[in-house]
Amino acid sequence: MGPLPRTLELFYDVLSPYSWLAFEVLCRYKNIWNVSLQLRPTLIAGIMKDSGNQPPALLPRKALYMKNDVRLLGQHLQVPIHLPKDFFFVIFEKGSLTAMRFLTVVKLEHPELLEKVSRELWMRVWSRAAEKAGMSTGRARELLERVSTPQVKNQLKETTDAACRYGAFGLPVTVAHLDDETYMLFGSDRMELLAHLLGEKWLGPVPPAATARL
């Protein structure tokens, strides 16, 4: 009998393009490395407020860099990521509260669909996300009706607070639980370091054994 899988927690928000990049790489490796991947829908606005950080889009130079950076990383990691034309409206006006509450409901009621629904939200087909992930329209409507319930609000807040306790100041955050040590890694570009901490092989962003999902 081999060693027990190490627990990895991925805290993410669909408003964060870098969260999507980390999400896809970890999903590719979850059946290659000896790990148990736990997806944790989180509210990035809550983390920004708690840490005193600001979104990079607020600074013109960072915003310009991020647009090019996300495009290049998407190509490198083979994730079909394209920032919407109304990106700033999405960040500052629309936000992600409803989306992350919806994912919280999915995690509570249909955890087996959380990966697929999260991916579809990132693919920017929000109105079809649940249906494409294999959930009936009626069931999706029932879950949407629950996004404002105290249970869902509290669960999302608890998850966001947990990320803050680990020291998060943005997203994505991957938390690796290794024996008596806990490591918090920020960003989508720490996968080689994560492999080193796990004692696993890094096979590149698209490992040969990964099944194409996108």
Side-chain angles (χ1 to χ4, degrees):
M1 183 176 180
L4 294 174
R6 279 71 57 84
T7 299
L8 295 182
E9 298 178 85
L10 176 65
F11 294 85
Y12 65 96
D13 188 317
V14 295
L15 199 62
S16 164
Y18 293 102
S19 286
W20 189 11
L21 299 172
F23 170 92
E24 293 298 349
V25 173
L26 288 177
C27 285
R28 292 166 185 168
Y29 273 91
K30 68 178 182 178
N31 294 322
I32 297 176
W33 292 344
N34 183 31
V35 297
S36 173
L37 178 61
Q38 298 182 5
L39 300 178
R40 304 289 302 274
T42 313
L43 188 64
I44 193 170
I47 289 178
M48 291 293 181
K49 181 179 180 180
D50 183 80
S51 66
N53 198 2
Q54 290 185 329
L58 282 175
L59 300 175
R61 290 185 183 179
K62 281 189 175 181
L64 179 61
Y65 175 83
M66 186 178 72
K67 286 184 177 181
N68 293 326
D69 188 48
V70 168
R71 178 179 58 84
L72 293 173
L73 283 172
Q75 294 172 359
H76 174 59
L77 301 178
Q78 296 185 30
V79 176
I81 189 167
H82 300 284
L83 296 185
K85 292 181 179 180
D86 59 345
F87 180 61
F88 294 102
F89 170 78
V90 171
I91 288 182
F92 299 117
E93 300 294 335
K94 188 173 183 179
S96 62
L97 180 59
T98 299
M100 299 318 295
R101 284 180 179 173
F102 180 67
L103 288 180
T104 299
V105 179
V106 173
K107 182 176 175 66
L108 289 170
E109 298 291 333
H110 296 281
E112 74 281 1
L113 295 178
L114 182 59
E115 178 183 336
K116 291 183 178 180
V117 176
S118 298
R119 180 175 292 112
E120 291 300 333
L121 285 174
W122 269 306
M123 295 287 282
R124 308 223 35 92
V125 287
W126 287 25
S127 63
R128 294 187 298 144
E131 181 181 352
K132 288 196 67 175
M135 188 184 300
S136 70
T137 302
R139 184 56 178 152
R141 188 177 299 112
E142 290 176 5
L143 296 185
L144 282 169
E145 290 174 353
R146 291 191 55 203
V147 298
S148 296
T149 62
Q151 179 190 21
V152 173
K153 289 181 178 179
N154 291 336
Q155 182 62 58
L156 180 58
K157 185 179 185 302
E158 288 174 10
T159 302
T160 303
D161 289 345
C164 291
R165 287 195 296 271
Y166 283 126
F169 51 88
L171 292 176
V173 161
T174 304
V175 177
H177 300 274
L178 311 177
D179 300 324
D180 297 328
E181 297 286 340
T182 299
Y183 298 89
M184 190 275 283
L185 305 178
F186 170 72
S188 60
D189 57 351
R190 294 294 184 268
M191 299 305 163
E192 290 184 66
L193 176 58
L194 177 60
H196 169 72
L197 293 173
L198 292 168
E200 300 279 3
K201 288 185 177 181
W202 172 246
L203 304 174
V206 186
T211 301
R213 294 181 173 88
L214 303 176

